[in-house]
Each structure stands twice: as C-alpha cells, then as structure tokens.
Amino acid sequence: MSIGWNFDNTYQKLSSDFYSRVEPMPAEKPKLTLLNTRLAEELALDFSNAEPAELASIFTGNRLPEGTQPISQAYAGHQFGHFTMLGDGRAIVLGEHLSPDDKRFDIQFKGSGRTPYSRSGDGRATLYSMLREYLISEALFHLRIPASGSLAVAETGIPVYRETVHPGAVLTRVASSHIRFGTFEYAARFLSLEKRRKLLSYTLSRHYPDLTERDDQALELLKCVSEKHLSLVIEWMRVGFIHGVMNTDNMSISGESIDFGPCAFMNGFNPATAFSSVDMNKRYAFSNQPGIAQWNLAVFAGTLLPFIDDDEEKARKAAQDVISAFEPRFREAWYRMMGKKLGFQHVGPSETEQIDRLISWMEKTKSDYTNTFLVIANRDQKPGRFKTDNEFNTWHKEWLELINRDHNGLEGARKRMADSNPVTIPRNHLVEEALTEASNDGNFSKFHSLLETLKKPYRQVWTAEDMQQVPAGFDEGYKTYCGT
Ligand code: AMP
Ligand code: MG
C-alpha cells in the first residue's frame, strides 16, 4: 500500500519573486527519530508499511516523495521592531499535501541545509531544537491551541556546530500555510502593485475563501486576521504560553502559532516573564503579547492600504479603526477567558472584580499560574501556602459565593474549569531534562514519558500527585534560544 502523499503545489503559481527552488542537502547517515502517527492520520498518510531505511530517507530529504517541488520562501519582517529582509534560511517547503477532505497542508523541512536566504547561517538545525519544536507543538495541539504540527524528526548524521557540537536533524513541519505578515511586508517593500494584488488574492482563496468576491476584501482580511490573532494570544495566555519571538515574520496569516523556537511556559505568575536569551528588553514578555500582536497587526495593515481604498487617507482611517478596536476587544475576550478559568457562567462587575483581585494576589505571591486554578477548583487538594494565606482564603470564600449563585454551583463550575485549566503543561525543568538526555545521550525515556503526559493536559479527575511542582529557583536563571 502506498503512503498516500497527494501533492498539489499552488504557491509556485505566484511570481517567482516569492520563492526560490532549492534541494535539501543530503544526509550522511539518515535515521528516523520520531514519527507522529496522530498527525499522519490527520493527513491520511500511512507509513506502517514503509521500511525504517525508507522513512529515514524520506524525512531527511534523501528521497523526496513524488509530486514535491521544493522551494524556500521569500519574506521580510520586523525583528524586535526593525525591518529586515529575511526568507527561509533553513527551511524548505516540499509542497502542499491535500488530504482526502480537501484540506491543504504545507509540508516543510526545517534544518535541511542552506538556501538563497541563509545569509551567514548554515541552514542546519540541532537535534535538541527540533525535538523541542516537536514536543511543544504536540503540547499546543493537545492544549487545543492552533499551531504548526511536527510530523517527524530525523537525524542527518552530520554534526552541527554551535557553542558545542550537536547531532544534526531535520524536522518535518506541517502548517496550513507559511504565509506570514512578513510575506506581505516583503511584497509591499520590493514588488509591484500587481504582484501584491496577486499575493492578496492567493491568500484570500487559500485561507479566507468567503471573502474573495467582496469589494471590501482587504479590510475584511485585516479584520479576520486580527480576530484570529486576538484569540490566539488569548489562548496562549490562558495556559501561560510565551511565544518568545513575536517578530512579524513569525506571525502566520492563518492565525496558527509558528516559529516558537524560544517559547516557554510561565510557572510562577509574573507578567514580565521572558525567557528568550535574545529578548534583552523583554519586548515579548508574557503580558506584552497582546500589545505586540496589535503592533504586528498595524504593520500588516500598512501593507494592505492600497487595496483598502484608492484614497490613502480613507484607507488609513479604516485600517486604524480595526487596529484601535483590538485593545477593547482583547480586554473583553480576556475577561471572558478568565471567567471560564474560574468557572463563572457569565462575567459581570462582581466577577470582573474577583478576577482582578486574583491576578494581583498571584502577582504578589508569584503563585504557580497552572496550579492556582486547580486549587481553586478543588480545595481538598489545597497544598502549602494555599492553606495558610488569609488573603487567598478570603478570596476563595467570595468566589464560592459567586459560584453558588450559578446553576449547578460548584459542581457545574468544576466541570467548566476542567476544560479551561490544564493539569499538566510543559514545565521548563522537565523539558530541559528530557531534551538534554535525548540529544546528548540518545536516551529518549524521559522524552517519551513527558510527551505522553502532555497528551492529556485536561482532566476532570486528578489528585495532588498530578500537580507539577517546579524546583525552587529553576526558572530564575532559565534561558531559551532561538532554536538554530
Ligand atoms: P527564527 O527566529 O527562527 O524565525 O529565524 C529568523 C531568521 O533566521 C529566518 O530567516 C531563518 O530562516 C534564519 N535562520 C535561523 N537559523 C538559521 C540557520 N541555522 N541558517 C540559516 N538561517 C537561519
Ligand atoms: Mg522565523
């Protein structure tokens, strides 16, 4: 039986300014390290009859599936606020796979060698960072947060030189596309109006087909992308996710999380948490994410102006209205999300006040963001500080009073809370331990056991033993890297 690849490549129909043809660099000793059978099933791909050697060849790029037309994509972007020409420096889109239900997926290699956009980079990736992306993308999927998926990790047998020598690897990444805000910025800066219009039409038909016939399609696209990013950041903040590198080139038009190399999860509640080693000024800290999303959307809006209205003033005003609406809409959505985390059926003035007071208590005490909501739902599991903290206990009593006004009281609230509050998240110390053992020693036992835990983040029933504890002081010195 065949694997079931079904490539239908449309990005290449855009002008060749948008991409370069590239071949993946051959691997010396290809070895399949991870294969994601859940994602394979979603794509209707069946690898069960393929020999290990064949799989290793496929996922390192030594043997490309029929129908692929590998390209690297051109794009620009604002990195930490500054415009730069970029492009896929270490990624190659093999093609677009159509699943039987007509869903279109980019199949992309990351770490498969130099491309015309590599600048001084080697185009390669370390096993450590590709395992990290695999683990986090699976965690995001099971947390029900839109994100690119990881189909496989394969080792190349070629060492990669960073501060130390690492095993080299290729990640096979799956996303509904890799069209970025930065793709529009690139077109706006360097290409003709006609080519920009083609990119707009292509993007609409690929992601927002309902808009293709509308006269106000550019403004509507801005509204849709704005909504998608609003709910994406809300979802990140629901679980304590910090993307880490919210440059405009890492913002997908589809509203999926992509390029989250230095991402990490916040444990103790501190809005200023930022782990990325290159984010010196904490531009992309936990609580800055909504403001940055709005800033990024304003950059994207700027690329659409000629298609919003021929009159530049009118175009600017219309776009500005969408961007300005982001802040109040986000605020409203954030309270709704927090209301769900606290089991409220609706969020009125009393609930809003209760949310605000919890946030300031968590900030003051640096209480664990994940465990706090578990304890609120189930006081029987109330460990340590939660037992003795008077402020928390008073807050909890008032919360119970509010909950008991709702239909089904505490029982109903607990049910709602279990859907919004994960029991397990990728804790930094566990992620590091699992990745270091896998990458340095080839020992995957911790990696696989962590991956299994992350596949069931939500549980109606759990005990104190399921609550994860972070070793004291671990996060204070914790740094993440861009994943090169
Ligand atoms: P990122 O922050 O991972 O999204 O990467 C930012 C830019 O640097 C993109 O244009 C990447 O393609 C490029 N880049 C990252 N790592 C490498 C590498 N090892 N070789 C070449 N280019 C790279
Ligand atoms: Mg990137």
Side-chain angles (χ1 to χ4, degrees):
M1 222 182 84
S2 77
I3 289 169
W5 292 113
N6 180 21
F7 283 97
D8 173 56
N9 310 318
T10 58
Y11 199 77
Q12 345 250 343
K13 292 179 187 155
L14 283 170
S15 102
S16 59
D17 300 277
F18 286 99
Y19 61 88
S20 298
R21 294 209 182 280
V22 193
E23 292 292 320
M25 139 199 103
E28 282 172 12
K29 271 198 235 137
K31 180 182 151 205
L32 182 72
T33 310
L34 297 169
L35 180 62
N36 187 337
T37 45
R38 171 199 67 77
L39 183 54
E41 228 167 82
E42 193 186 324
L43 299 171
L45 296 174
D46 180 3
F47 296 102
S48 59
N49 295 312
E51 296 292 324
E54 185 189 352
L55 292 175
S57 282
I58 292 174
F59 288 114
T60 47
N62 279 10
R63 188 200 301 182
L64 293 179
E66 204 176 314
T68 53
Q69 290 173 302
I71 55 166
S72 282
Q73 296 182 340
Y75 51 87
H78 277 77
Q79 297 199 304
F80 295 92
H82 303 284
F83 181 83
T84 329
M85 179 58 202
L86 294 156
D88 289 330
R90 55 163 170 168
I92 296 179
V93 177
L94 296 183
E96 298 153 35
H97 169 75
L98 275 183
S99 66
D101 52 355
D102 248 5
K103 279 202 194 133
R104 186 174 295 275
F105 298 92
D106 270 8
I107 308 294
Q108 191 203 57
F109 278 164
K110 199 164 171 178
S112 54
R114 285 181 57 78
T115 79
Y117 311 104
S118 295
R119 296 175 291 171
S120 58
D122 60 5
R124 297 179 183 182
T126 61
L127 175 62
Y128 171 95
S129 56
M130 297 304 95
L131 292 177
R132 191 168 205 279
E133 177 155 343
Y134 188 104
L135 190 75
I136 302 287
S137 62
E138 273 303 279
L140 289 173
F141 173 83
H142 292 283
L143 285 163
R144 299 188 219 109
I145 298 179
S148 62
S150 301
L151 182 60
V153 174
E155 290 174 62
T156 59
I158 302 171
V160 173
Y161 297 91
R162 298 292 180 257
E163 311 79 45
T164 53
V165 188
H166 289 259
V170 174
L171 174 86
T172 302
R173 183 157 97 160
V174 177
S176 70
S177 88
H178 287 87
I179 309 171
R180 302 146 191 272
F181 291 11
T183 316
F184 280 77
E185 289 176 76
Y186 161 72
R189 184 69 70 109
F190 300 112
L191 305 183
S192 67
L193 210 54
E194 192 195 329
K195 286 175 180 169
R196 291 169 68 185
R197 187 179 292 283
K198 267 194 149 170
L199 174 65
L200 172 62
S201 306
Y202 177 80
T203 303
L204 288 169
S205 58
R206 187 152 174 187
H207 290 294
Y208 302 96
D210 296 349
L211 303 181
T212 49
E213 299 301 317
R214 291 179 68 129
D215 293 337
D216 56 355
Q217 52 180 231
L219 189 64
E220 283 302 308
L221 174 66
L222 178 60
K223 285 184 192 163
C224 288
V225 173
S226 182
E227 272 315 295
K228 291 246 164 150
H229 278 261
L230 187 153
S231 47
L232 184 63
V233 176
I234 288 282
E235 284 293 276
W236 290 351
M237 294 181 82
R238 176 171 65 80
V239 298
F241 180 79
I242 306 164
H243 181 287
V245 62
M246 287 178 72
N247 295 330
T248 53
D249 50 299
N250 295 334
M251 296 295 109
S252 151
I253 293 291
S254 70
E256 287 164 312
S257 321
I258 58 162
D259 284 6
F260 35 84
C263 74
F265 285 71
M266 177 178 67
N267 295 313
F269 186 81
N270 175 6
T273 307
F275 292 112
S276 167
S277 58
V278 292
D279 192 3
M280 314 291 187
N281 298 320
K282 301 195 171 202
R283 178 180 167 91
Y284 300 134
F286 178 71
S287 66
N288 286 354
Q289 297 185 113
I292 291 293
Q294 187 187 29
W295 192 92
N296 289 342
L297 285 160
V299 171
F300 176 53
T303 71
L304 294 175
L305 293 181
F307 311 107
I308 291 178
D309 203 300
D310 292 336
D311 179 334
E312 200 189 320
E313 266 319 293
K314 277 194 193 152
R316 236 172 242 292
K317 165 86 178 65
Q320 187 57 54
D321 287 347
V322 178
I323 301 302
S324 304
F326 185 90
E327 207 179 313
R329 290 173 78 89
F330 187 90
R331 202 181 132 78
E332 211 185 295
W334 184 84
Y335 275 108
R336 253 198 324 272
M337 175 274 282
M338 275 293 164
K340 283 193 187 146
K341 277 177 83 70
L342 288 175
F344 295 137
Q345 259 181 336
H346 71 280
V347 180
S350 311
E351 287 79 7
T352 301
E353 202 197 312
Q354 202 67 13
I355 292 168
D356 289 344
R357 283 176 44 219
L358 177 68
I359 293 288
S360 67
W361 179 80
M362 282 196 296
E363 192 172 349
K364 196 163 62 185
T365 55
K366 306 263 182 294
S367 178
D368 187 275
Y369 185 60
T370 302
N371 293 349
T372 299
F373 290 91
L374 300 176
V375 172
I376 292 168
N378 194 344
R379 290 184 90 205
D380 303 340
Q381 306 291 355
K382 205 168 68 153
R385 146 166 357 112
F386 294 101
K387 273 203 186 87
T388 50
D389 189 306
N390 285 340
E391 196 177 334
F392 178 77
N393 285 330
T394 309
W395 180 92
H396 197 271
K397 224 171 96 207
E398 288 162 6
W399 171 79
L400 257 182
E401 281 164 23
L402 287 174
I403 284 300
N404 282 328
R405 286 192 215 161
D406 284 341
H407 180 62
N408 271 346
L410 185 58
E411 202 184 317
R414 277 186 180 155
K415 280 217 172 79
R416 287 190 288 278
M417 292 171 85
D419 287 337
S420 286
N421 299 317
V423 178
T424 49
I425 57 163
R427 300 287 187 169
N428 300 326
H429 66 289
L430 298 179
V431 170
E432 287 311 315
E433 205 177 42
L435 292 181
T436 308
E437 282 197 9
S439 161
N440 292 359
D441 314 327
N443 178 357
F444 279 76
S445 62
K446 283 192 179 143
F447 182 93
H448 285 297
S449 88
L450 179 58
L451 188 59
E452 286 314 305
T453 314
L454 297 175
K455 285 180 181 173
K456 291 184 208 79
Y458 303 106
R459 283 171 239 172
Q460 286 285 344
V461 181
W462 50 270
T463 66
E465 282 76 62
D466 298 311
M467 276 170 55
Q468 301 167 299
Q469 304 302 331
V470 177
F474 185 90
D475 279 3
E476 278 69 27
Y478 186 55
K479 285 272 163 273
T480 56
Y481 298 87
C482 266
T484 56

